């Protein structure tokens, strides 16, 4: 068996709110295999987003360690993380987080341009076509619908062909029709690019299709099942 | 409705740097004006408001030659009829000598009658009255005379051939409250001694004055009109105390005018800063405001809360501003030293503080109208569609603009007391801002269309067009601010460069005038070496091409006027520092002139003033004899303006018969000048010597002092300008932080993030300062050419420095406002973005 693409060992996270300490994640350990589609499920406030941000290096754990593709990222500084975020990882957020000053095409191109990819423009155009938004290539995020924004965000996450994509409630802001489309797209592209997908969601419809289900309850990992 | 104090406190705490910026802007806007207005009241109160004390009479008759018998007769008759008092004075500069004639001092002699003055005060060291002390044969002198000539009260002092006993020391003269505008210290002599002083040859350099004291000052205007009708036009000037120009008053009025303009600019810039920082505070709170509204808070409720907040900040700012004004005023004695007598108040009165506070209230009101109005435009729907920032501006900005304009006009009018200039000032500013707005749009449009080579550059350029961006208004604000600041400096540099010209090494530094025809040989032998002496013939210009010179109009000129008495000369050759700029030779072909018309060479500077060209016909009155001359050449000078020069040069032969004196200019080592003056004065008491080197030094010092004062005031404008930078950058900080977080999530490292941030600010600064340089240079050029009539130097290095420092400053501020995100993991910021 190949080595895990993502590994977390005894990860905890707490916040200090005044005198009080709120423990949000308790001693979470997990591993993901390359190409897996894993879902983090759990009630609201159970710590899904917190776990995702820590695993992806957007935040630091209070305790424990995180490895991405065998590299310990726990203590990496921001400059150390930058190339990982650019090439190894893709992100899709519930709130889209597209760069407001850039058009759809430019938003998608941006990570490739950072990576000095000479084919940035071609790749982005191809992806835009692929998700059926070529007509909207010059629209700014404010000129796109929620579903369109999320499709652009997915293209942006995939343009550098990352080995891992993190998605936090990617359908949280969308209606059911759009949600379905976005999920289909994500899964299709995951297959196509052969990436690992770690997705946090409430939706059982998505959970049903996952290779692995991670369940959080009050910050504890209560279930880590691989589906047959 | 009630004010929610906890809310207020929270807002103030949350506002942080923006609240501070706002308060400092308020303080800055009123600090210099408060100090300046307090100072103006001091000066007016103690120096220049009491017109009669400044002039010495209700009516003043002034001439550069003895008052005509006709006028004197009329005054005598009317004095009998209308029962008023009159007295005469004479004033001139001459060199006084010590008791043994071994040291000399260029002094200002004033001959007065025992009743002098009718109004105002002359303070004498012994405490007695001038009239009691000053007897024929005695003098009352300024302390400086005693010190420089090493004399004491009771000792002897020589003026011309006459020895006077020093009776007392004069400590203050209300007609001459400051000494820096005069060339030498005062010596009072009795009118009875005037004949002994030998004024022969001093010509028009003696000022003759008659002072009149009326029983009822209300009659002044009528009497002055009656006397004017009798007075010799252009020679005798009749003025009432109220209308008379006083050099002191003119000087301080001009200085206060200039400083007021700078202070008003400071106020405006701070006002813009205020507006910017308040907008930033409200922008940061936009979501909170929207949510509060969604929960049913009325616009009125919110408005009252923020009004309370603004009032609180405004009050703090005003109090700090008044305290700052007080502190600034404490610096004035240092700043204005040598310019004002020791006993000018420099006090800070309650009314000064009150004025500051009232001004603060107005400024805060006017400049917070727009941001507060926008509160109403925040719609609850913004919570849901956060990224749409497309609100229609409506009429509010226009209205706010009009209110600002009206306020500024009122302020300018009140401050500089001149409606016309006030309106020009404000129209100029509006034009500037309008043009800047157009230019800003154009340059941003160009930038949008240009293709930039690197990702960071492209990205930062795109950031300027982010939805809801404020780039245009930032560029407009910055350009306007930088251009007015640069304009002040360019004007200052050009004005002072014209006047603080260091005295040329080999230029003549000792001028001797009034050498009589029969004294030429004696003079030559006293001086020892060969000196060139120029004949001087005093005359008036009557007409140019048969158009009479209008004396009244001429007096309005800021430049030299054609109505005054001129010194003509005659010679055959050009001076060393002269070239012919128009015409073939100095006097052309004299045969071509009509008979009775003589050849004349005119200096270009006066030719420009009088619009005199080649072949024009000028008529002069030379002490009663009229003479027609035709311009045969225009001369230019190639060296310093401090070289002696003659406007009108005639061919030798034409004026030799006219009454004339001689003028000599020589160059001596500086240290030998005083002894030479002493020697000349001892032997030729009627010859006036002028130590030009010394005068240039004094003038240079005065100019440097003024330059320091102007720089001091302008530095507050610069501070306000910097605050504008800070507030505009902070106002749009959240947008930048958001983008920066996104860049990082997508894998941008700190170097590229820093580059994008720096380039964005550098672009704004570069665009703004570049346009500002163009505007300021153009405006300064126009003003120097058309208002001050001086040569213009663009001082490109200053312009380059302005661009450079704007870029550095803006980049630093920009980085400081958002660099915190670079080192931190983005989760926190993302969560903030999510939560709203
Ligand atoms: N910055 C913070 N400071 C304090 N507590 C926090 C902070 N961020 C999150 N929490 C707490 O951590 C817990 C987990 O939050 P998290 O956002 O991870 O939940 P979640 O599972 O993603 O919920 P949801 O499904 O609603 O998105 C919550 O109880 C929240 O109150
Ligand atoms: Mg969540």
């Amino acid at each position: 068996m190949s080595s895990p693409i993502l590994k977390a060992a005894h990860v905890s996270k707490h916040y200090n709110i005044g005198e009080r300490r709120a423990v949000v994640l308790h001693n979470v350990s997990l591993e993901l295999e390359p190409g897996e589609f894993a879902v983090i499920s759990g009630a609201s406030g159970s710590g899904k987003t917190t776990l995702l941000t820590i695993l992806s290096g957007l935040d630091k754990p209070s305790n424990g360690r995180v490895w991405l593709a065998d590299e310990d990222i726990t203590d990496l500084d921001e400059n150390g993380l930058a190339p990982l975020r650019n090439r190894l990882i893709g992100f899709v957020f519930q709130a889209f987080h597209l760069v407001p000053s850039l058009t759809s095409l430019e938003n998608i191109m941006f990570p490739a341009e950072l990576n000095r990819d000479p084919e940035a423009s071609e790749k982005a155009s191809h992806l835009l076509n692929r998700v059926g938004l070529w007509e909207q290539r010059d629209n700014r995020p404010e000129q796109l619908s929620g579903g369109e924004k999320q499709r652009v965000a997915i293209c942006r996450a995939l343009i550098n062909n990352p080995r891992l994509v993190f998605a936090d409630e990617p359908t949280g802001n969308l209606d059911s029709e759009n949600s379905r489309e976005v999920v289909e797209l994500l899964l299709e592209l995951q297959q196509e690019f052969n990436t690992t997908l770690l997705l946090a969601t409430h939706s059982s419809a998505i959970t049903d299709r996952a290779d692995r289900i991670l369940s959080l309850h009050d910050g504890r990992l209560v279930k880590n099942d691989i589906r047959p | 409705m009630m004010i929610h104090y906890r809310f207020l406190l929270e807002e103030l705490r949350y506002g942080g740097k923006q609240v501070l910026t706002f308060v400092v802007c308020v303080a800055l806007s009123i600090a210099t004006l408060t100090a300046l207005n307090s100072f103006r009241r001091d000066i007016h109160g103690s120096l220049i408001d009491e017109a009669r004390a400044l002039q010495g009479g209700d009516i003043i008759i002034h001439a550069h030659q003895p008052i005509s018998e006709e006028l004197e007769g009329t005054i005598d008759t009317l004095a009998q009829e209308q029962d008023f008092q009159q007295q005469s004075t004479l004033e001139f500069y001459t060199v006084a000598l010590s008791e043994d004639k071994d040291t000399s001092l260029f002094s200002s002699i004033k001959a007065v009658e025992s009743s002098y003055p009718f109004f105002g005060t002359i303070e004498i060291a012994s405490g007695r009255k001038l009239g009691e002390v000053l007897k024929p044969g005695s003098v009352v002198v300024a302390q400086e005379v005693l010190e420089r000539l090493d004399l004491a009260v009771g000792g002897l002092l020589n003026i011309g051939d006459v020895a006077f006993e020093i009776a007392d020391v004069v400590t203050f003269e209300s007609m001459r409250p400051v000494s820096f505008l005069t060339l030498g210290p005062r010596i009072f002599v009795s009118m009875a001694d005037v004949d002994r002083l030998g004024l022969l040859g001093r010509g028009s350099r003696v000022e003759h004055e008659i002072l009149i004291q009326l029983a009822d000052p209300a009659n002044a205007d009528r009497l002055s009109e009656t006397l004017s009708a009798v007075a010799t036009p252009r020679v005798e000037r009749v003025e009432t105390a109220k209308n008379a120009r006083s050099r002191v008053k003119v000087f301080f009025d001009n200085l206060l005018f200039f400083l007021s303009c700078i202070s008003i600019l400071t106020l405006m810039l701070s006002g813009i800063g205020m507006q910017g920082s308040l907008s930033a505070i409200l922008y940061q709170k936009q979501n909170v405001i929207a949510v509060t509204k969604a929960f049913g808070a009325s616009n009125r409720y919110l408005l009252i809360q923020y009004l309370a907040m603004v009032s609180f900040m405004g009050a703090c700012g005003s109090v700090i501003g008044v305290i700052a004004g007080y502190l600034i005023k404490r610096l004035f004695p240092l700043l204005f030293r040598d310019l004002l007598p020791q006993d000018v108040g420099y006090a800070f009165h309650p009314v000064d503080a009150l004025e500051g506070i009232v001004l603060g209230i107005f400024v805060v009101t006017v400049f917070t109208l727009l941001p507060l109005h926008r509160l109403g435009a925040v719609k609850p729907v913004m919570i849901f569609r956060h990224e749409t920032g497309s609100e229609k501006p409506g009429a509010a900005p226009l209205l706010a603009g009009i209110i600002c304009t009206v306020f500024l006009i009122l302020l300018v009018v009140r401050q500089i007391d001149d409606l016309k200039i006030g309106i020009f000032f404000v129209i100029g500013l509006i034009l500037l801002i309008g043009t800047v707005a157009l230019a800003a749009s154009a340059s941003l449009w160009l930038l949008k269309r240009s293709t930039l080579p690197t990702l960071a550059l492209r990205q930062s350029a795109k950031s300027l067009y982010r939805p809801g961006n404020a780039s245009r208004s930032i560029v407009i604000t910055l350009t306007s601010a930088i251009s007015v600041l640069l304009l002040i400096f360019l004007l200052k540099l050009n004005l002072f460069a014209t006047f603080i010209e260091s005295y040329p090494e080999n230029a003549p530094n000792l001028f001797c005038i009034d050498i009589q025809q029969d004294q030429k040989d004696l003079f030559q032998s006293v001086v020892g070496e060969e000196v060139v002496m120029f004949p001087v013939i005093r005359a008036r210009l009557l007409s140019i091409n048969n158009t009479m010179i209008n004396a009244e109009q001429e007096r309005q000129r800021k430049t030299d006027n054609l109505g005054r008495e001129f010194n003509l000369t005659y010679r055959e050759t050009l001076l060393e520092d002269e070239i012919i700029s128009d015409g073939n030779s100095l006097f052309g072909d004299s045969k071509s002139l009509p008979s009775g018309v003589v050849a004349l060479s005119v200096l270009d500077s006066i030719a420009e003033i009088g619009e005199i060209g080649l072949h024009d016909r000028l008529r002069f009155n030379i002490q009663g004899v009229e003479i027609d001359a035709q311009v045969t050449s225009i001369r230019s000078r190639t060296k310093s303006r401090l070289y002696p020069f003659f406007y009108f040069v005639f061919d030798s032969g034409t004026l030799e018969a006219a009454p004339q004196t001689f003028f000599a200019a020589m160059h001596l080592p500086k240290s030998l000048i005083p002894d030479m003056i002493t020697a000349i004065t001892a032997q030729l008491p009627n010859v006036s010597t002028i130590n030009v080197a010394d005068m240039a030094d004094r003038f240079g010092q005065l100019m440097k002092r003024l330059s320091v004062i102007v720089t001091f005031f302008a530095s507050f404008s610069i501070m306000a300008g910097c605050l504008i930078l800070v507030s505009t950058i902070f106002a749009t900080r959240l947008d930048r932080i958001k983008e920066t977080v996104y860049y990082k999530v997508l894998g941008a490292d700190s170097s590229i993030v820093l580059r994008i941030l720096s380039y964005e600010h550098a672009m704004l600064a570069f665009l703004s300062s570049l346009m500002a340089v163009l505007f300021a240079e153009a405006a300064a050029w126009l003003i120097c050419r058309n208002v001050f009539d001086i040569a213009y130097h663009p001082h490109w290095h200053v312009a380059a420095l302005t661009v450079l420092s704007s870029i550095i400053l803006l980049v630093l501020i920009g980085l400081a406002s958002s660099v915190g995100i670079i080192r931190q993991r983005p989760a926190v910021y993302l969560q903030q973005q999510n939560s709203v």
Side-chain angles (χ1 to χ4, degrees):
Chain A
M1 206 169 111
S2 58
S3 64
I5 179 76
L6 168 77
K7 184 175 153 195
H10 313 292
V11 165
S12 304
K13 181 76 179 175
H14 59 253
Y15 293 106
N16 292 323
I17 306 170
E19 299 289 284
R20 213 168 53 80
R21 161 181 287 210
V23 182
V24 179
L25 285 180
H26 288 277
N27 198 16
V28 175
S29 300
L30 57 85
E31 288 183 5
L32 292 188
E33 300 303 322
E36 248 187 324
F37 169 31
V39 160
I40 307 177
S41 73
S44 183
S46 56
K48 304 185 293 293
T49 298
T50 310
L51 180 60
L52 214 55
T53 53
I54 288 172
L55 295 181
S56 59
L58 293 181
D59 205 352
K60 258 189 172 175
S62 309
N63 285 302
R65 308 208 74 80
V66 177
W67 289 264
L68 282 181
D70 291 329
E71 181 168 2
D72 185 344
I73 64 159
T74 321
D75 294 322
L76 279 185
D77 65 7
E78 286 295 285
N79 276 344
L81 284 164
L84 297 182
R85 287 180 189 146
N86 186 236
R87 292 191 282 272
L88 188 70
I89 311 172
F91 296 93
V92 180
F93 302 95
Q94 177 177 356
F96 321 124
H97 294 328
L98 296 177
V99 180
S101 55
L102 300 183
T103 63
S104 331
L105 188 67
E106 289 167 343
N107 258 293
I108 300 173
M109 272 166 66
F110 189 78
E113 285 186 300
L114 276 179
N115 194 21
R116 298 172 192 282
D117 186 340
E119 290 162 40
S121 171
E122 289 77 40
K123 284 185 180 169
S125 307
H126 171 77
L127 277 168
L128 255 189
N129 265 316
R130 172 75 181 70
V131 301
L133 288 175
W134 180 242
E135 295 293 310
Q136 284 85 353
R137 62 187 174 281
D138 288 330
N139 291 25
R140 291 223 185 118
E142 53 173 341
Q143 299 159 327
L144 294 172
S145 76
E148 288 167 345
K149 275 188 240 187
Q150 201 58 300
R151 280 186 274 163
V152 170
I154 292 170
C155 294
R156 184 179 69 174
L158 289 166
I159 189 162
N160 281 345
N161 211 345
R163 296 179 59 191
L164 242 172
V165 171
F166 294 92
D168 187 10
E169 313 245 18
T171 61
N173 277 354
L174 305 176
D175 61 24
S176 55
E177 176 62 24
N178 268 309
S179 298
R180 210 181 46 74
E181 274 181 27
V182 161
V183 172
E184 289 307 325
L185 184 66
L186 258 179
L187 293 181
E188 264 174 47
L189 290 173
Q190 186 231 345
Q191 295 293 322
E192 226 172 280
F193 286 75
N194 192 29
T195 51
T196 311
L197 174 63
L198 179 58
L199 188 151
T201 185
H202 297 286
S203 158
S204 52
I206 302 177
T207 315
D208 289 345
R209 307 177 60 170
D211 302 325
R212 181 195 293 270
I213 299 166
L214 302 158
S215 284
L216 277 180
H217 185 72
D218 282 344
R220 288 168 212 276
L221 189 63
V222 291
K223 193 163 98 176
N224 186 348
D225 286 353
I226 298 183
R227 284 158 52 89
Chain B
M1 197 187 267
M2 70 157 219
I3 293 167
H4 205 306
Y5 288 101
R6 250 179 57 90
F7 172 83
L8 200 70
L9 214 64
E10 278 297 304
E11 291 299 278
L12 290 173
R13 228 162 43 92
Y14 185 86
K17 291 190 189 100
Q18 291 303 319
V19 170
L20 195 69
T21 311
F22 186 91
V23 171
V24 175
C25 280
V26 177
L28 205 55
S29 70
I30 60 171
T32 49
L33 268 184
T34 304
L36 199 61
N37 286 343
S38 168
F39 180 57
R40 176 206 300 273
R41 276 188 282 270
D42 289 347
I43 295 212
H44 278 251
S46 61
L47 292 186
I48 55 183
D49 254 8
E50 187 39 67
R52 297 195 300 181
L54 205 54
Q55 302 295 340
D58 284 310
I59 291 179
I60 309 96
I61 295 143
H62 195 90
H64 281 283
Q65 61 190 52
I67 307 289
S68 62
E69 279 171 19
E70 199 187 354
L71 184 56
E72 260 185 354
T74 314
I75 296 172
D76 288 342
T77 323
L78 289 176
Q80 295 272 318
E81 286 171 15
Q82 302 184 4
D83 190 27
F84 60 72
Q85 309 292 313
Q86 58 156 318
Q87 59 172 301
S88 316
T89 73
L90 288 178
E91 193 170 358
F92 58 93
Y93 284 101
T94 196
V95 172
L97 294 172
S98 62
E99 188 163 356
D100 355 316
K101 301 196 174 183
D102 57 356
T103 39
S104 60
L105 177 64
F106 194 66
S107 323
S108 162
I109 314 282
K110 185 149 190 163
V112 296
E113 297 175 14
S114 59
S115 52
Y116 183 80
F118 284 135
F119 300 102
T121 48
I122 289 180
E123 284 164 22
I124 305 282
S126 65
R128 290 187 293 167
K129 281 211 154 61
L130 179 67
E132 291 170 18
V133 184
L134 191 64
K135 297 281 180 277
S138 72
V139 287
V140 173
V141 302
Q143 184 64 33
E144 190 184 343
V145 175
L146 297 185
E147 283 161 12
R148 300 265 302 262
L149 293 181
D150 196 20
L151 293 170
V153 172
L156 289 179
L157 171 120
N158 290 294
I159 304 173
D161 278 335
V162 189
F164 289 92
E165 191 198 331
I166 301 171
D168 217 324
V169 173
V170 55
T171 52
F172 177 74
E173 250 181 284
S174 67
M175 300 77 179
R176 203 170 101 140
V178 296
S179 57
F180 65 92
L181 291 172
T182 53
L183 302 173
R186 177 67 92 206
I187 297 177
F188 279 111
V189 302
S190 167
M191 207 57 161
D193 287 326
V194 162
D195 289 342
R196 296 204 287 151
L197 286 173
L199 299 180
L200 171 77
R202 289 201 203 287
S204 67
R205 275 177 305 278
V206 180
E207 295 187 28
H208 300 254
E209 208 175 47
I210 293 180
L211 301 174
I212 292 175
Q213 181 186 26
L214 297 172
D216 179 5
N219 296 331
D221 286 330
R222 227 185 41 226
L223 181 61
S224 130
E225 265 170 44
T226 318
L227 295 177
S228 291
V230 188
T232 320
R234 292 172 60 185
V235 175
E236 290 164 332
R237 207 166 70 226
V238 182
E239 289 170 314
T240 61
K242 224 179 276 142
N243 299 334
R245 279 159 61 91
S246 140
R247 288 180 65 197
V248 181
K249 190 164 157 29
V250 169
F251 175 84
F252 278 106
D253 282 349
N254 283 340
L255 181 61
L256 288 171
F257 169 81
F258 199 52
L259 297 182
S260 288
C261 287
I262 299 177
S263 300
I264 289 172
L265 285 176
T266 309
L267 176 138
M268 274 192 38
L269 296 178
S270 326
I272 297 171
M274 246 178 256
Q275 199 160 14
S277 49
L278 184 62
S279 299
I281 293 173
L282 297 178
Y283 185 67
Q284 283 172 358
K285 303 296 289 184
Q286 189 165 305
N287 292 296
V288 178
I289 294 168
V291 171
T292 320
K293 280 190 183 179
F295 280 103
S298 67
N299 272 336
R300 217 172 95 85
Y301 170 81
L302 277 168
L303 190 63
I304 285 177
Q305 305 313 316
Y306 281 102
L307 218 51
M309 176 174 164
V310 166
S311 312
F312 177 74
M313 295 189 298
C316 291
S318 299
V319 170
I320 296 173
V322 168
I323 294 172
Y326 165 75
L327 293 176
I328 290 171
K329 182 133 191 241
R330 291 282 302 261
L331 291 175
F332 280 10
L334 193 69
L335 208 55
F336 288 88
R337 68 164 186 262
D338 314 333
L339 294 191
L340 288 172
Q342 296 300 317
D343 54 348
V344 165
Y346 294 121
F348 199 76
H349 302 287
V351 59
D352 302 330
L354 185 73
E355 193 194 24
I357 299 277
V358 170
L359 192 63
I361 292 173
F362 270 107
V363 175
V364 171
T365 312
V366 167
F367 285 99
T368 54
L369 274 178
L370 195 59
L372 283 178
H373 170 85
R374 290 216 192 96
L375 264 182
V378 178
K379 298 275 167 354
V381 70
M382 284 176 183
I383 320 170
F384 305 109
R385 268 197 162 273
H386 185 235
E387 290 174 44
T388 51
S390 55
E391 43 182 301
K392 293 239 165 59
L398 187 67
L399 193 68
I402 292 174
I403 293 176
C404 279
T405 310
V406 171
F407 170 73
L408 281 177
I409 292 182
L410 290 178
L411 184 73
V412 173
V413 169
R414 180 182 173 281
Q415 200 65 37
I416 57 193
D417 224 2
D418 188 331
L419 185 68
K420 215 175 82 189
I421 292 181
I423 289 173
F424 271 140
F425 187 86
V426 175
I427 287 181
L429 273 174
I430 292 172
L431 273 183
L432 171 73
I433 292 172
T435 331
V436 167
L438 286 179
S441 302
S443 57
L444 285 169
W445 184 85
L446 275 178
L447 183 62
K448 194 170 186 173
R449 261 142 207 83
S450 52
T451 34
L452 296 165
T454 72
L455 174 64
L457 271 174
R458 276 198 302 277
Q459 195 51 42
S460 41
K462 281 171 193 156
S463 312
L464 295 178
Y465 308 100
R466 68 171 72 86
N469 70 74
S471 304
R472 208 175 82 102
S473 47
I474 291 180
V475 172
I476 294 172
T477 312
L478 293 188
T479 306
S480 314
I482 298 171
S483 52
V484 290
L485 290 177
L486 185 58
L487 176 61
I488 293 178
F489 271 92
L490 286 175
L491 289 182
K492 196 200 93 167
L493 286 172
N494 274 288
L495 276 174
F496 292 125
T498 310
F499 295 117
I500 322 187
E501 199 175 7
S502 58
Y503 198 74
E505 200 54 33
N506 293 312
N509 50 15
L510 176 62
F511 291 0
C512 300
I513 42 188
D514 297 334
I515 305 165
Q516 307 296 311
Q517 185 91 49
D518 56 7
Q519 291 177 321
K520 282 169 81 176
D521 293 338
L522 180 55
F523 181 80
Q524 199 72 259
S525 72
V526 172
V527 174
E529 53 190 293
E530 189 70 23
V531 221
V532 189
M533 283 182 249
F534 303 100
V536 176
I537 297 123
R538 305 195 62 85
R540 283 179 188 274
L541 181 59
L542 294 177
S543 65
I544 302 174
N545 293 331
N546 288 324
T547 311
M548 296 299 284
I549 300 293
N550 179 334
E552 226 7 80
Q553 256 174 18
E554 292 300 326
R555 286 226 289 148
Q556 307 297 323
R557 278 190 205 271
K558 284 204 186 73
T559 54
D560 206 346
N561 84 67
L562 299 172
R564 72 173 177 91
E565 201 173 19
F566 288 112
N567 291 320
L568 316 182
T569 193
Y570 56 87
R571 55 179 145 87
E572 274 154 9
T573 50
L574 284 173
L575 294 182
E576 203 189 328
D577 70 329
E578 287 178 332
I579 52 165
I580 290 180
S581 56
D582 202 0
N584 297 324
S585 61
L586 206 49
F587 299 113
D589 181 9
S590 55
K591 288 182 201 91
S592 66
L593 294 173
S595 68
V597 175
V598 299
L600 168 67
S601 173
V602 179
L603 196 65
D604 57 355
S605 52
I606 196 79
E608 213 170 280
I609 293 170
E611 290 169 16
I612 301 170
L614 217 52
H615 309 309
D616 280 351
R617 194 71 67 81
L618 273 56
R619 170 169 291 190
F620 288 91
N621 176 342
I622 302 173
Q623 293 151 54
V625 181
E626 293 191 3
I627 183 168
D628 274 318
Q630 178 161 319
V631 179
T632 50
S633 67
I634 309 278
R635 285 165 298 132
S636 294
R637 301 168 65 213
T638 53
K639 291 197 185 140
S640 157
R641 44 196 292 136
L642 293 165
Y643 274 73
F645 63 92
F646 287 92
Y647 283 148
F648 302 106
V649 176
F650 288 80
D651 203 351
S652 56
T654 42
L655 295 179
E656 260 157 37
Q660 56 197 271
T661 57
F662 289 84
F663 165 83
M666 48 198 138
H667 176 83
L668 292 175
K670 246 185 181 179
S671 56
L672 298 183
I673 296 178
D675 284 345
M676 177 61 83
I677 292 177
T678 309
I680 293 172
T681 314
Q683 300 251 9
L684 299 154
N686 70 295
V687 170
S688 297
T689 46
I690 299 171
N691 185 342
V692 184
D694 181 52
M695 246 174 243
D697 283 352
R698 281 183 187 224
F699 190 63
Q701 272 162 18
L702 173 64
M703 284 296 148
K704 277 189 188 127
R705 182 120 303 269
L706 292 179
S707 170
V708 168
I709 293 172
V710 170
T711 310
F712 176 81
F713 277 85
S715 66
F716 289 91
S717 293
I718 293 183
M719 262 189 258
C722 291
L723 285 179
I724 290 185
L725 297 189
V726 173
S727 73
T728 44
I729 294 312
F730 269 82
T732 51
R733 171 173 164 263
L734 288 185
D735 291 328
R736 260 190 313 281
I737 288 185
K738 183 156 105 184
E739 284 174 9
T740 307
V741 172
Y742 295 170
Y743 300 151
K744 288 186 57 167
V745 170
L746 299 175
D749 59 18
S750 58
S751 104
I752 194 153
V753 169
L754 277 175
R755 263 180 288 154
I756 294 176
L757 281 174
S758 311
Y759 291 161
E760 182 183 345
H761 293 98
M763 278 179 199
L764 285 175
F766 181 70
L767 269 185
S768 312
S769 54
L770 195 67
M771 286 196 293
V773 163
L774 296 179
F775 283 115
E777 291 282 0
W781 177 73
L782 280 175
I783 293 176
C784 282
R785 291 292 300 267
N786 298 325
V787 181
F788 297 139
D789 271 316
I790 56 175
Y792 183 68
H793 291 284
H795 292 279
W796 290 116
H797 62 287
V798 177
L801 205 66
T802 307
V803 175
L804 201 69
S805 48
S806 309
I807 293 177
I808 292 175
L809 205 63
L810 208 62
V811 167
L812 285 182
I813 295 171
L815 291 183
S817 76
S818 27
V819 81
I821 340 158
I822 290 177
R823 304 233 146 275
Q824 287 195 33
R825 295 235 171 150
V828 186
Y829 297 95
L830 278 175
Q831 218 171 16
Q832 277 171 8
Q833 296 301 327
N834 265 332
S835 66
V836 291

